[in-house]
Amino acid sequence: MVSMSKYVIASGLALAGLATLALAPSSHAQDAANGETVFKKCRACHQVGATAKNGVGPAQNGVVGRKAGTVEGFAYSDLNKAAGEAGLVWDEANIVEYLVDPNGFLKKFLIDKGQAAKAEGVTKMTYKLADEADRKDVVAYLKTQK
């Protein structure tokens, strides 16, 4: 009878461990090399590197840690400028979330900051990057572009 109790307890612990693993968020080590590959999709509008210039979108050198809407010489949308004025800084988490739905992200940011009246219009950024691992990799790559 004692050995059966040990079996039941051991089985319960094993199942609890499996449940914990199943519920744990997936972690992804950022891969800047893959991010560079993924970023090729972005190059239609954005440039990086020593000779980067503004194009359809602003140059992305130094974007991680930069206040939104502040690249000199680029004509940002009112929505993007308003988010920057409201304090949006492009940290890793914000970029990862922004790339899912740029318009939705900026509008939510402004609404959360109590500036719903400025959460109108659209950003010039129409591209969406659905894959979370790819978004994180792009951020890792952009961090290398000072």
Side-chain angles (χ1 to χ4, degrees), residues 18-53:
L18 288 174
T20 301
L21 287 174
L23 296 175
S26 65
S27 64
H28 172 76
Q30 292 181 329
D31 180 350
N34 183 56
E36 182 176 12
T37 300
V38 175
F39 190 79
K40 288 178 182 176
K41 299 174 187 177
C42 309
R43 288 190 185 269
C45 299
H46 297 285
Q47 292 185 18
V48 293
T51 61
K53 296 179 182 167

Side-chain angles (χ1 to χ4, degrees), residues 43-72:
R43 288 190 185 269
C45 299
H46 297 285
Q47 292 185 18
V48 293
T51 61
K53 296 179 182 167
N54 294 330
V56 173
Q60 295 298 292
N61 293 346
V63 68
V64 180
R66 183 171 65 213
K67 184 177 177 182
T70 60
V71 170
E72 192 172 323

